[in-house]
Amino acid sequence: MLRIHVVGTSAAQTEVTLSGMLDVAGSAALLAKLDQLIEEGRHHLVIDVSGVTFCNSSGISALVRSRARAVEMTGSLRLTSPSPAVRRVLDLTGLARMFEH
């Protein structure tokens, strides 16, 4: 199960903390939450993934789709503190750089 917490919002960015499993079910929940935040005008997202214990391709896909949506709105999506599970998938897919700026 993935837990999603919006921990801070400022004019510059919205901080979100994830913990648990970023699998098929978690990815759907994450995509819905990030879509909601973007619709609310929160276009600069910082996602702390230090508490993610499992991440598969559906999790990375949700992050890539959300990043693309934020960028379409002249925003950004950045990951911080990737757990070993997230780091491994980012490195295997070559997507680590996409989320670091």
Side-chain angles (χ1 to χ4, degrees), residues 4-18 30-49 62-80 98-101:
I4 305 165
H5 299 285
V6 177
V7 294
T9 297
S10 69
Q13 68 186 21
T14 298
E15 297 176 28
V16 179
T17 299
L18 306 180
L30 178 61
L31 194 56
K33 184 61 175 180
L34 295 180
D35 279 349
Q36 175 192 355
L37 292 171
I38 292 167
E39 284 295 318
E40 292 172 354
R42 301 175 189 184
H43 300 154
H44 296 281
L45 304 169
V46 178
I47 315 293
D48 179 342
V49 290
L63 291 168
V64 168
R65 289 172 59 192
S66 294
R67 182 186 176 279
R69 183 129 189 269
V71 169
E72 281 177 13
M73 306 298 280
T74 65
S76 60
L77 188 149
R78 184 169 52 93
L79 302 180
T80 62
M98 174 188 287
F99 292 104
E100 291 177 348
H101 36 37

Side-chain angles (χ1 to χ4, degrees), residues 22 27 55-65 79 86 89-90 93 95 99:
L22 192 48
S27 298
C55 182
N56 65 14
S57 61
S58 62
I60 293 299
S61 176
L63 291 168
V64 168
R65 289 172 59 192
L79 302 180
V86 173
V89 175
L90 289 173
T93 59
L95 296 172
F99 292 104

